[in-house]
Amino acid sequence: MTIVQGRDCQHYYVRDKENNHPTSILELNLHVTLMISEAKQVWVPGPLIVGAGPSGLAAAACLAKKGVPSIILEKDMCIGSSWKLRMYKRLKLHLPKQFCELPYLQFPKMFPSYPTREQFISYLDSYAKAFSIEPLFNMSVESAAYDASIGFWRVRANGLEFICRWLIVATGENSEAFKPEISGVSEFQGDVLHTSEYKKGDDFRGKKVLVVGCGNSGMEVCLDLCNNGAQPYMAVRDKLHILPREIMGVSTFGVSMFLMRWFPMPYVDKFLLLCSRLLLGDTEKLGLKRPKIGPLQFKMMSGKTPVLDVGTLKKIRSGQIKVVPGINRFTSTGVEFTDGRKDNFDAVILATGYRSNVPSWLKDEEFFDKSDGYPKVAFPNSWKGENGLYAIGFTRRGLLGTSLDAHRIAEDIASQWSSETRHLPFEL
């Protein structure tokens, strides 16, 4: 069956492919008349997924494996839009590929341990093709609210209102760039951009550039700038943990996961800090102070991921990348730092991270926290809310957490998928 628009442009119908007669959805299910009030309405028999990034694709694939059809609404023009449109070119996966695979599909064997941005994008394209996932693109969700009077979700996007029993929020932790308000930014005569707008270091060759933020993105952007003839400075306000990417040829992440099976987290943290001291030296001498608690405990408490060094510390030690305090305010030619010093810069790059945009469109008071856009309940119970509401990609555990969420959501919805809803397969 196929959903088609009636000639009056006021109704949507399910067309029976065998006899080519339009059959109203009202006659088929739930006696719901799809009429236009302020928005056209479309009945979605299966789950509606918001977001076609890795989380949305994983959810759709796991549902398909269970025989449950789904629709994905994606605000951009492609799948994996954050990777395709907003990630810098030198980016590689921070973790080995075996920890970044989505359900039911491995990375190609010829891919390196740490795939590049382009390789990961090709993996996502192959994943969508393997599971016949075809999202509806350029569909920006304006609102989603549960209608208790009918027991369904009403999701508005681009003049349409989708009616669904299950709503899966897959926009993830990094749905929009976070740009802090810094005094005097309008006075600055140079360029100010977020890392989501940064592409490559060649664009800043010969320029003096301040990178604000010292997470994985900030460190890698500084390294890219340094390797391409720019003069990078890195503004560090907060304490952070920096770890070697590998310990004796094994990924630090893999080592920590193995040790966590046998030892309490504080003991694993002590081991990681010891290895870090032996392999990286005392980072505090470089102006990079560590938190008082270990990297894994700090991640659990704050959500901040330890930085995995890919060569930036060597450049800092040699003086090619300079560490400076946080910004107090912009000036017309540069910035004033928190210690009162001033310096001039040609450009400022904000490596200040991303945040969830869920509170801006999801009308739900119970499941998601409006302050940060994350589920109120922590992992491993952050995947399911009330009234058919689900979340995927909010575990603070990367793609490994996404895969766990996808399996749980698919199993839960499949257990509810009844013969009454199965008889409405459709294509858009």
Side-chain angles (χ1 to χ4, degrees), residues 269-410:
D269 270 342
K270 288 182 180 180
F271 176 78
L272 294 176
L273 290 174
L274 174 62
C275 291
S276 179
R277 184 63 179 257
L278 292 173
L279 297 174
L280 302 179
D282 185 0
T283 58
E284 295 207 10
K285 291 182 179 180
L286 303 176
L288 304 170
K289 296 182 179 181
R290 292 185 181 274
K292 292 182 179 180
I293 60 176
L296 299 182
Q297 295 176 86
F298 189 66
K299 165 74 172 175
M300 290 289 292
M301 293 181 62
S302 68
K304 294 183 178 180
T305 303
V307 173
L308 298 176
D309 180 51
V310 293
T312 307
L313 286 182
K314 182 179 179 180
K315 299 291 186 181
I316 293 175
R317 285 196 181 89
S318 67
Q320 293 174 275
I321 298 175
K322 295 178 171 57
V323 176
V324 293
I327 293 181
N328 183 36
R329 66 181 181 90
F330 279 93
T331 65
S332 60
T333 58
V335 302
E336 177 185 281
F337 298 110
T338 53
D339 63 359
R341 287 186 295 149
K342 295 181 180 180
D343 205 346
N344 298 331
F345 293 96
D346 298 306
V348 175
I349 300 173
L350 302 175
T352 47
Y354 297 81
R355 63 184 176 188
S356 165
N357 69 356
V358 175
S360 68
W361 57 269
L362 182 64
K363 312 306 177 185
D364 170 73
E365 302 290 338
E366 301 298 327
F367 189 34
F368 279 88
D369 192 324
K370 284 193 172 183
S371 64
D372 62 6
Y374 279 76
K376 294 180 180 179
V377 180
F379 179 85
N381 300 311
S382 57
W383 60 278
K384 184 179 181 181
E386 299 292 332
N387 303 316
L389 179 62
Y390 299 88
I392 179 171
F394 295 89
T395 63
R396 303 184 193 270
R397 284 164 174 75
L399 294 173
L400 197 60
T402 290
S403 293
L404 293 173
D405 281 347
H407 284 295
R408 289 168 177 159
I409 291 170

Side-chain angles (χ1 to χ4, degrees), residues 13 23 29 36 50 104 158 173 188 257 396 406 409 420-421:
Y13 299 99
T23 307
N29 196 288
I36 301 304
V50 181
Y104 305 115
N158 292 41
E173 303 166 1
F188 181 57
M257 286 192 66
R396 303 184 193 270
I409 291 170
E420 285 76 23
T421 49

Side-chain angles (χ1 to χ4, degrees), residues 121-150:
I121 288 172
S122 72
Y123 171 75
L124 292 181
D125 288 336
S126 298
Y127 193 85
K129 184 177 181 180
F131 295 99
S132 301
I133 300 172
E134 298 181 355
L136 301 181
F137 296 118
N138 297 313
M139 297 292 289
S140 182
V141 173
E142 301 146 13
S143 67
Y146 182 70
D147 188 340
S149 65
I150 60 173

Side-chain angles (χ1 to χ4, degrees), residues 31 41 85 96 120 130 143-144 170 174 186 198 208-209 219 221 247 256 268 282 285 289 311 359 362 386 388 420:
H31 302 288
Q41 295 178 312
L85 306 177
F120 187 67
S143 67
N174 304 318
S186 60
Y198 174 88
K208 187 176 178 181
V209 183
M219 289 279 190
V221 167
I247 298 174
S256 63
V268 179
D282 185 0
K285 291 182 179 180
K289 296 182 179 181
L362 182 64
E386 299 292 332
E420 285 76 23

Side-chain angles (χ1 to χ4, degrees), residues 23-246:
T23 307
S24 70
I25 292 177
L26 170 62
E27 296 172 0
L28 287 175
N29 196 288
L30 297 180
H31 302 288
V32 178
T33 304
L34 300 186
M35 299 183 65
I36 301 304
S37 52
E38 295 180 359
K40 299 169 184 176
Q41 295 178 312
V42 178
W43 159 253
V44 181
L48 183 68
I49 303 171
V50 181
S55 296
L57 298 179
C62 287
L63 286 165
K65 279 285 188 177
K66 298 287 185 180
V68 181
S70 61
I71 285 182
I72 301 180
L73 302 183
E74 167 55 46
K75 67 178 181 179
D76 287 309
M77 57 186 288
C78 57
I79 65 169
S81 60
S82 290
W83 285 85
K84 292 182 178 180
L85 306 177
R86 291 182 282 278
M87 294 295 182
Y88 43 95
K89 294 186 181 298
R90 83 165 305 276
L91 178 66
K92 293 183 179 181
L93 293 183
H94 297 138
L95 304 180
K97 60 184 179 182
Q98 64 266 29
F99 298 114
C100 300
E101 292 173 341
L102 299 182
Y104 305 115
L105 187 66
Q106 295 182 339
F107 280 96
K109 291 183 178 180
M110 73 283 295
F111 277 20
S113 295
Y114 300 91
T116 65
R117 167 182 171 270
E118 288 75 16
Q119 289 170 330
F120 187 67
I121 288 172
S122 72
Y123 171 75
L124 292 181
D125 288 336
S126 298
Y127 193 85
K129 184 177 181 180
F131 295 99
S132 301
I133 300 172
E134 298 181 355
L136 301 181
F137 296 118
N138 297 313
M139 297 292 289
S140 182
V141 173
E142 301 146 13
S143 67
Y146 182 70
D147 188 340
S149 65
I150 60 173
F152 287 83
W153 287 88
R154 295 181 180 272
V155 181
R156 289 177 175 265
N158 292 41
L160 292 173
E161 184 177 59
F162 294 84
I163 311 295
C164 59
R165 183 177 298 179
W166 303 283
L167 176 62
I168 302 175
V169 179
T171 49
E173 303 166 1
N174 304 318
S175 51
E176 65 181 25
F178 173 65
K179 299 180 181 180
E181 294 184 5
I182 303 175
S183 176
V185 64
S186 60
E187 302 174 14
F188 181 57
Q189 298 174 4
D191 296 324
V192 179
L193 65 155
H194 189 268
T195 48
S196 60
E197 304 164 285
Y198 174 88
K199 298 305 177 186
K200 59 185 188 303
D202 294 7
D203 299 334
F204 299 88
R205 189 178 300 276
K207 294 184 178 181
K208 187 176 178 181
V209 183
L210 177 65
V211 178
V212 180
C214 53
N216 281 299
S217 293
M219 289 279 190
E220 290 189 11
V221 167
C222 280
L223 182 60
D224 190 40
L225 289 167
C226 184
N227 289 338
N228 287 280
Q231 304 170 49
Y233 288 66
M234 184 169 63
V236 179
R237 180 185 296 269
D238 300 322
K239 296 180 179 180
L240 74 156
H241 279 296
I242 303 178
L243 302 176
R245 186 168 69 171
E246 294 183 343

